[in-house]
């Protein structure tokens, strides 16, 4: 296992068209008219699990700790993003709860005010150590929570994640279910021959704890680049499987949300499907991503990154109070360079060099 202080992939130039260098006024609107309101912030590329569809068990090249953005740097970027219209900050990883200062990160971002008031701080986690940390996170200002769980079978969980930690995940889910955080969402990647016989069981488990299960089509974002479309369970297959058990009624008003939702037997329970591969929602995408080492990405599948570390740490870095306009300009450049879609179905599609754990969910 090694730590590397370099960025995997291309770096986009820091320059941008003059018409997009508008300082801290106006929103983040791309050339296709999409207004960006959501920033996913990866706090670390490290994880407490080794899911087979995400990363190898051994030999991972972790980012050097010196390359990981500090809390001060994250907050500085978040304040500029909020001034430009970002309303929701989702903290991801890797596993964000591995960050020792996670409560402080949540507290400081939750204090940021946008034009419409305080921003919203959400988190996606595997749930390990959540039971111990959740009270402090809620007190710090965490408002929403997604927990990943691909199976409720103990042996299958150990085989899939290479770790025997299902009890810890269950404890985290129980703590979240007993909390005030709503809606509570559970995420499951549907995989052929792995958990596709468990889709109904997963939904029933979610309903039992008052959560919404969201199935995710497996995407080409594994660190080992072993993704095979044939192993992916499609949106239509998921719905067909659930339809054998329940009547599903589409929920209107999706907006820019990644998940389509269906009411189960008339409600109140719902189930979601994020079909990034077979039914992409790129036309309504309002998300940007910031990697743990300070690279802006305008799409999960982007081959280009926009380097913020030069602004924050470089020899020519401006004084803290003078950097806001430069950070804003780079955010605008990133948005301006966003393509209309990810083109997974195009023969020319290339998988990003980084895996999902390094990009951030």
């Amino acid at each position: 296992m090694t730590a590397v202080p370099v960025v995997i992939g291309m770096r986009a130039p820091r320059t941008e068209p003059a018409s997009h260098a508008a300082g801290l006024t106006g929103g983040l609107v791309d050339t296709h008219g999409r207004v960006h309101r959501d920033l996913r912030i990866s706090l670390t590329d490290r994880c407490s699990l080794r899911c087979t569809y995400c990363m190898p068990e051994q030999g991972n090249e972790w980012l050097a700790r010196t390359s990981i953005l500090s809390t001060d740097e994250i907050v500085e970027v978040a304040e500029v993003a909020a001034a430009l219209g970002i309303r929701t900050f989702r903290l991801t990883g890797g596993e964000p709860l591995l960050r020792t200062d996670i409560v402080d990160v949540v507290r400081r971002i939750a204090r940021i005010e946008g034009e419409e008031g305080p921003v919203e701080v959400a988190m996606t986690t595997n749930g390990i150590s959540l039971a111990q940390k959740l009270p402090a996170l809620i007190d710090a200002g965490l408002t929403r929570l997604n927990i990943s769980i691909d199976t409720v079978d103990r042996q299958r969980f150990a085989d899939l994640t290479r770790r025997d930690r299902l009890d810890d995940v269950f404890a985290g889910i129980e703590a979240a279910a007993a909390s005030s955080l709503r809606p509570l969402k559970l995420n499951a990647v549907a995989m052929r021959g792995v958990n596709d016989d468990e889709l109904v069981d997963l939904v029933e488990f979610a309903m039992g704890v008052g959560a919404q299960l969201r199935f995710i089509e497996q995407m080409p974002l594994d660190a080992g680049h072993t993704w095979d479309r044939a192993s992916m369970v499609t949106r239509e297959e998921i719905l067909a499987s659930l339809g054998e058990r329940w009547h599903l009624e589409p929920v209107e008003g999706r907006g820019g949300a990644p998940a389509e939702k269906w009411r189960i037997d008339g409600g109140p329970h719902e189930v979601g499907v994020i079909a990034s591969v077979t039914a992409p929602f790129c036309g309504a995408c309002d998300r940007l991503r910031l990697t743990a080492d300070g690279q802006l990405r305008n799409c999960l599948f982007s081959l280009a990154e926009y380097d913020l570390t030069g602004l924050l740490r470089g020899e020519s870095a401006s004084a803290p109070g003078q950097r806001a306009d430069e950070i804003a300009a780079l955010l605008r450049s990133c948005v301006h360079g966003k393509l209309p879609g990810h083109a997974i179905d195009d023969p020319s599609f290339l998988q990003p060099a980084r895996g999902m754990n390094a990009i951030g969910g």
Side-chain angles (χ1 to χ4, degrees):
M1 185 183 300
T2 57
V4 290
V6 296
V7 175
I8 304 170
M10 299 166 49
R11 292 199 186 190
R14 287 175 50 186
T15 57
E16 69 161 2
S19 60
H20 292 273
L24 298 179
T25 61
L28 293 169
V29 185
D30 68 17
T31 58
H32 307 283
R34 294 170 295 198
V35 181
H36 292 69
R37 301 183 178 90
D38 186 305
L39 178 62
R40 311 290 172 98
I41 302 176
S42 176
L43 300 181
T44 177
D45 63 327
R46 302 181 187 236
C47 190
S48 43
L49 300 177
R50 295 291 182 274
C51 295
T52 56
Y53 60 84
C54 186
M55 67 176 77
E57 183 173 13
Q58 298 178 343
N60 294 285
E61 288 194 333
W62 306 115
L63 295 170
R65 295 189 186 279
T66 54
S67 72
I68 304 297
L69 292 183
S70 68
T71 301
D72 285 345
E73 290 168 334
I74 291 170
V75 171
E76 184 175 0
V77 175
E79 287 175 341
V80 175
L84 295 176
I86 296 295
R87 300 174 185 172
T88 300
F89 294 88
R90 176 169 294 278
L91 306 179
T92 70
E95 173 47 48
L97 294 181
L98 290 179
R99 180 108 175 193
T100 57
D101 62 347
I102 181 62
V103 174
D104 190 42
V105 173
V106 171
R107 179 176 293 109
R108 293 183 61 185
I109 294 178
R111 290 173 178 168
I112 297 173
E113 295 261 348
E115 288 187 356
E116 299 180 11
V119 300
E120 186 173 55
V121 184
M123 181 184 296
T124 298
T125 172
N126 62 27
I128 296 174
S129 80
L130 181 63
Q132 296 77 28
K133 297 179 180 179
L134 187 57
L137 291 169
I138 294 174
D139 183 66
L142 185 70
T143 52
R144 286 194 288 121
L145 190 63
N146 290 18
I147 304 173
S148 300
I149 181 167
D150 299 319
T151 176
V152 291
D153 179 89
R154 187 172 308 282
Q155 186 57 52
R156 184 174 287 180
F157 183 92
D159 293 341
L160 180 61
T161 68
R162 303 185 179 107
R163 300 289 188 272
D164 185 12
R165 305 296 299 273
L166 185 57
D167 284 342
D168 295 316
V169 178
F170 282 158
I173 292 172
E174 290 172 5
S179 77
S180 60
L181 299 182
R182 291 295 183 276
L184 174 61
K185 299 175 182 177
L186 305 184
N187 294 343
V189 178
M191 293 163 280
R192 194 176 310 284
V194 177
N195 64 351
D196 54 339
D197 62 341
E198 206 177 345
L199 305 185
V200 168
D201 293 341
L202 283 162
V203 174
E204 288 181 335
F205 171 77
M207 292 193 297
V209 296
Q212 177 194 118
L213 201 292
R214 307 196 313 169
F215 290 106
I216 303 172
E217 288 185 339
Q218 188 177 358
M219 296 178 283
L221 287 168
D222 58 303
H225 288 212
T226 61
W227 180 81
D228 180 4
R229 188 185 182 100
S231 67
M232 180 191 73
V233 182
T234 68
R235 167 187 180 273
E236 295 305 318
E237 290 174 297
I238 293 168
L239 294 176
S241 178
L242 300 181
E244 294 179 1
R245 172 66 175 81
W246 298 289
H247 171 71
L248 302 179
E249 177 187 355
V251 176
E252 302 297 329
R254 177 182 181 181
E260 295 177 87
K261 293 190 296 185
W262 286 264
R263 290 187 190 87
I264 299 174
D265 285 346
H269 298 293
E270 297 177 345
V271 64
V273 179
I274 300 175
S276 299
V277 178
T278 65
F281 43 89
C282 303
C285 180
D286 65 352
R287 289 168 292 287
L288 298 174
R289 286 174 169 79
L290 176 62
T291 68
D293 58 345
Q295 307 302 306
L296 283 169
R297 298 177 63 90
N298 54 34
C299 176
L300 266 175
F301 303 99
S302 176
L303 298 179
E305 297 180 333
Y306 296 71
D307 181 26
L308 273 168
T309 57
L311 294 179
L312 299 171
R313 299 181 178 178
E315 292 182 3
S316 60
S318 305
Q322 301 174 342
R323 282 199 295 261
D325 284 346
E326 295 178 61
I327 294 171
L330 197 60
L331 281 162
R332 293 185 186 281
S333 286
C334 183
V335 171
H336 184 259
K338 189 166 184 171
L339 299 176
H342 55 53
I344 290 177
D345 284 331
D346 192 287
S348 64
F349 174 78
L350 294 175
Q351 183 173 339
R354 290 186 190 247
M356 186 70 161
N357 68 298
I359 294 173

